[in-house]
Amino acid sequence: MQYEAVIGLEIHAQLLTDTKIFCGCSTRFGSDPNTQICPVCTGMPGVLPVMNRKAVEYVVRTGLALHCDISSYSRFARKNYFYPDLPKGYQISQFELPLCEHGFVDITVEGNSKRVALTRIHLEEDAGKNIHEGGGHDSAVDLNRAGVPLMEIVTEPDIRSAAEAAAFMKKLRAIVRYIGVCDGNMEQGSLRCDANVSIRPSGQEAYGVKTEIKNMNSFRYVEKALDYEIKRQIRSLQDGERIIQETRLWNTEKGVTESMRSKEEAHDYRYFPDPDLMPIEFEKSLIDRIQSELVELPDEKHRRFVDEHGISDEDAGLLVAERETAEWFEVAVKAGGDPKNICNWIKGDFAKLLNDNNTQINESLVTPQMLVAMLSLVEKGTISGRIAKTVFEEMYRTGKTADEVVEEKGLVQISDASGIETIIDEILNNSTGEVARFREGETKLMGFFVGQVMKATKGKANPKIVNELLRKKLN
Ligand code: ADP
Ligand code: ZN
Ligand code: MG
């Protein structure tokens, strides 16, 4: 029997506000434990939460970017449960009246586009962190993260494969980073994804029993964990077993999902409206302002790069994946460079250098204008395309302009035909064997002769002239 996977995601994104959701404590990551806390976020009796306006605006901004309906009236609720990292005994969240509903994200997997519908986006506070270290019997609690604003994004069960889930996460990460509401760092946990997975016989409409997978802190793990879980569920059904509704953890080392708790043990959260917080009511003008401030999003940029700059669909996808790359590209195009040429450098030599040095494009010493100036040296024939690679590497390393590098290293292309001819004559005289073989039809030796000339000129000979002269002399 053929099975189909059904997946819905619940994503938590930490909002990039400077301060927490209900107090003025800093949200900075990586500080010493319990250095960013106060009576409000540690749940002391009698304190009152004060809503962070920015956090609300960030969720609305996200909702607009993801084509949601923004609720003109929404409310906060208490979600009651006990855990040491939650001193208040309840998390302030949203329940029946979230800030945003509906909406969608378009994804492309192997050339096929599809739309994943969103159920809702709501605002809530993060909990602290329990730390179990040293193998002893003690646990410590760090409340720096308690009260950091989180946005929860819930999708409809529209996703049909692990690859689609990973594509969704990549797209969502790009969008929240473009609009500046979340840094998208999955390793540090500022973007977290829980996946609900079930399978059903192909063609069947009713959904199967789902499991919820947690602890996937990279795109790669999202894909691996879901692939594993889908196979596991199919195997179970084929073995005549039943899927039980449970929460499972992805075990990175073993590459498997493992049962954490079954739904029977799940909590009844006894949600009720938080009496300390006023409901939020929006004026349309505020939503209009946030809409008007929205930056161009990856999909729109993608289309524009294809239409305006003649970039291929695939390359445009690479360019828009990070906002910084897309912007760098556009500055270079505005500076007068050929778009395809610029794109080839960005995805080729430049990408390799950035990757090797673990650097972001906007932190590079090479500015878009510097790349364009170098490309124009190639166009004018001052340097060869081959030497350009050496020049670029030096520019990358030192921050010098192409002109400076070419001047200092004497890299100007040799285009003077008589100079090249002298060198060619010498090489042909010293390679009588190869010349004879070439004339007997072993034409692939052309590469050998070109190589010799380039070696003798340290790569500076104009390749077009070299080829012309060699062909003339050998034939
Ligand atoms: P719960 O009541 O368990 O919280 P919800 O209906 O609220 O479940 O859905 C939570 C998430 O699970 C959503 O992302 C939704 O799309 C997804 N989901 C719901 N049912 C299924 C299913 N049968 N298989 C896979 N995902 C599902
Ligand atoms: Zn605080
Ligand atoms: Mg639910």
Side-chain angles (χ1 to χ4, degrees):
M1 192 186 293
Q2 291 288 327
Y3 288 96
E4 175 184 61
V6 173
I7 301 168
L9 301 177
E10 292 169 290
I11 293 114
H12 287 93
Q14 251 175 41
L15 296 174
L16 277 174
T17 54
D18 294 331
T19 55
K20 293 187 181 179
I21 184 167
F22 301 124
C23 62
C25 293
S26 168
T27 54
R28 200 150 47 90
F29 179 82
S31 306
D32 285 340
N34 300 311
T35 53
Q36 293 165 187
I37 58 174
C38 75
V40 174
C41 54
T42 54
M44 292 297 120
V47 294
L48 287 171
V50 176
M51 183 49 115
N52 182 331
R53 184 188 179 95
K54 240 281 123 86
V56 177
E57 288 200 20
Y58 280 4
V59 175
V60 172
R61 194 189 290 176
T62 309
L64 292 171
L66 301 181
H67 318 281
C68 296
D69 301 327
I70 311 299
S71 317
S72 55
Y73 183 87
S74 79
R75 191 160 66 188
F76 288 87
R78 292 187 180 180
K79 179 179 178 179
N80 300 279
Y81 67 93
F82 169 79
Y83 208 60
D85 65 12
L86 187 78
K88 281 204 300 280
Y90 59 86
Q91 176 196 28
I92 300 180
S93 181
Q94 295 194 293
F95 187 54
E96 81 284 40
L97 293 172
L99 274 165
C100 314
E101 286 184 285
H102 315 304
F104 60 84
V105 172
D106 288 331
I107 57 170
T108 305
V109 175
E110 283 167 13
N112 300 315
S113 300
K114 80 175 277 179
R115 179 160 289 185
V116 177
L118 303 179
T119 314
R120 58 188 274 152
I121 308 178
H122 72 243
L123 180 57
E124 60 186 31
E125 60 178 336
D126 210 345
K129 212 165 74 179
N130 289 340
I131 303 167
H132 320 282
E133 259 173 17
H137 296 287
D138 303 327
S139 286
V141 181
D142 174 10
L143 293 176
N144 281 353
R145 208 179 62 187
V148 167
L150 283 185
M151 150 173 90
E152 179 172 334
I153 302 170
V154 182
T155 80
E156 291 291 308
D158 285 352
I159 297 167
R160 292 289 171 271
S161 70
E164 284 184 11
F168 179 92
M169 285 304 290
K170 281 184 193 160
K171 187 55 147 316
L172 184 68
R173 177 175 182 273
I175 293 171
V176 294
R177 283 168 53 81
Y178 263 66
I179 63 177
V181 298
C182 173
D183 67 18
N185 191 324
M186 292 185 78
E187 281 79 26
Q188 287 180 3
S190 37
L191 185 66
R192 314 196 277 267
C193 161
D194 300 337
N196 299 271
V197 188
S198 65
I199 56 165
R200 63 180 173 188
S202 300
Q204 175 183 309
E205 223 176 287
Y207 293 141
V209 174
K210 69 177 158 64
T211 61
E212 185 175 350
I213 316 299
K214 290 179 180 287
N215 199 37
M216 303 165 290
N217 66 352
S218 71
F219 297 131
R220 208 161 57 88
Y221 290 152
V222 168
E223 193 156 354
K224 281 188 157 186
L226 295 189
D227 260 332
Y228 175 89
E229 179 62 14
I230 292 164
K231 291 208 183 84
R232 185 193 71 82
Q233 291 191 11
I234 292 175
R235 220 181 309 122
S236 294
L237 286 194
Q238 285 171 340
D239 290 350
E241 292 163 21
R242 232 163 25 91
I243 307 296
I244 49 167
Q245 191 169 344
E246 61 182 352
T247 302
R248 299 177 67 86
L249 284 189
W250 166 244
N251 182 322
T252 308
E253 268 100 72
K254 295 194 196 146
V256 302
T257 62
E258 295 169 329
S259 181
M260 181 172 102
R261 61 165 181 256
S262 74
K263 204 68 184 180
E264 279 77 0
E265 298 159 42
H267 321 256
D268 173 359
Y269 294 116
R270 295 180 183 269
Y271 282 98
F272 65 86
D274 192 302
D276 291 338
L277 285 159
M278 302 292 279
I280 297 176
E281 263 185 276
F282 278 113
E283 312 230 326
K284 191 173 173 301
S285 61
L286 177 63
I287 297 175
D288 289 346
R289 171 176 65 73
I290 298 173
Q291 176 84 60
S292 71
E293 288 167 1
L294 215 54
V295 298
E296 188 180 35
L297 298 170
D299 282 350
E300 303 164 33
K301 263 204 197 317
H302 187 130
R303 269 191 297 278
R304 202 162 53 72
F305 285 3
V306 172
D307 295 346
E308 275 179 24
H309 301 313
I311 300 294
S312 75
D313 206 42
E314 195 187 333
D315 284 351
L318 288 176
L319 289 175
V320 305
E322 297 284 350
R323 180 177 170 182
E324 290 77 10
T325 311
E327 285 175 352
W328 204 99
F329 167 79
E330 289 209 90
V331 175
V333 171
K334 282 215 182 76
D338 169 60
K340 279 190 201 157
N341 218 347
I342 294 165
C343 172
N344 286 337
W345 278 87
I346 290 180
K347 66 175 193 175
D349 291 58
F350 199 7
K352 186 169 182 312
L353 285 166
L354 291 169
N355 194 38
D356 289 350
N357 295 286
N358 204 0
T359 306
Q360 301 303 313
I361 196 163
N362 51 327
E363 299 163 357
S364 164
L365 296 175
V366 181
T367 63
Q369 291 78 3
M370 283 163 66
L371 173 66
V372 172
M374 188 200 78
L375 293 177
S376 86
L377 289 185
V378 179
E379 218 164 282
K380 282 188 290 188
T382 311
I383 57 172
S384 69
R386 223 174 96 153
I387 287 291
K389 288 172 176 284
T390 314
V391 173
F392 189 81
E393 249 186 81
E394 190 66 10
M395 290 164 62
Y396 182 88
R397 216 173 51 77
T398 62
K400 288 181 180 156
T401 65
D403 277 327
E404 286 167 341
V405 175
V406 169
E407 158 99 42
E408 264 173 38
K409 306 231 156 196
L411 293 173
V412 175
Q413 174 162 258
I414 306 170
S415 294
D416 140 49
S418 69
I420 296 177
E421 194 167 0
T422 317
I423 294 164
I424 288 181
D425 286 341
E426 203 179 307
I427 287 166
L428 295 186
N429 278 336
N430 294 332
S431 325
T432 45
E434 283 85 357
V435 172
R437 277 161 54 205
F438 182 90
R439 291 193 171 132
E440 276 155 28
E442 211 178 311
T443 50
K444 69 172 194 299
L445 279 169
M446 191 59 159
F448 164 79
F449 296 119
V450 172
Q452 292 289 309
V453 180
M454 285 305 176
K455 204 169 141 198
T457 57
K458 299 203 174 68
K460 288 185 288 183
N462 182 325
K464 196 162 148 259
I465 299 178
V466 171
N467 274 292
E468 273 169 21
L469 285 174
L470 273 172
R471 209 160 287 133
K472 205 171 84 195
K473 292 197 175 273
L474 286 164
N475 290 328

